[in-house]
Amino acid sequence: MNPFKRLYIRTTGYSYTNMGRLFLRLFVGIMMMQFGIRELMNFDQAVTMFPEFLGLSSRIGLIIMIVIEIGCSFFIMCGFFTRLMSLFPFLAMVCAETYLLNAEPTSTYLLTWEQLGYLPIMFGGIYFFIILVGPGKISVDYFLSLYFIHSDNHSESELEEV
């Protein structure tokens, strides 16, 4: 077979979905965790800039966000309770986007790429994708599922869709 055809088939025909899910989990976890670590290190300054939202004081809201950004990111990177742990940051990003769109006097169609309005949308999309596709086979969730299936004397075919 022609080397070009072989290379083309190798690069388009094979799917590395589990590696892709692992990369995405690690990427979004590291990116979100760095926000939480920065907020934790500069807590006194961050609390003055953090808005009051949903009836929560800025201090309580910031603590909740730090827990979501650091705690949930850690669980997502490990692939442990992945779908559940992705739900909290997804909802936080929906709240952040709602706040930004309501607080900004600029119309939404005038947002430029360097404004903050795009960050919650991007992170929200990634978390929604993780909720849809799950953690993949390179995760604690998958290995726990294998353990539970084998302990109940079931077949691994039940995990074919994972």
Side-chain angles (χ1 to χ4, degrees), residues 24-25 27-33 68-69 72-73 76 82-83 85-93 120-134:
L24 189 64
R25 284 192 348 255
F27 175 77
V28 78
I30 290 169
M31 294 303 292
M32 185 58 77
M33 193 177 276
I68 288 173
E69 290 168 348
C72 292
S73 293
I76 290 168
T82 308
R83 285 187 165 127
M85 290 299 145
S86 295
L87 186 63
F88 298 112
F90 174 75
L91 293 174
M93 292 301 106
I121 292 172
M122 182 193 69
F123 276 111
I126 293 171
Y127 288 121
F128 186 72
F129 180 78
I130 291 172
I131 290 168
L132 284 178
V133 300

Side-chain angles (χ1 to χ4, degrees), residues 86-103:
S86 295
L87 186 63
F88 298 112
F90 174 75
L91 293 174
M93 292 301 106
V94 168
C95 289
E97 185 63 26
T98 303
Y99 175 79
L100 285 174
L101 291 178
N102 290 332

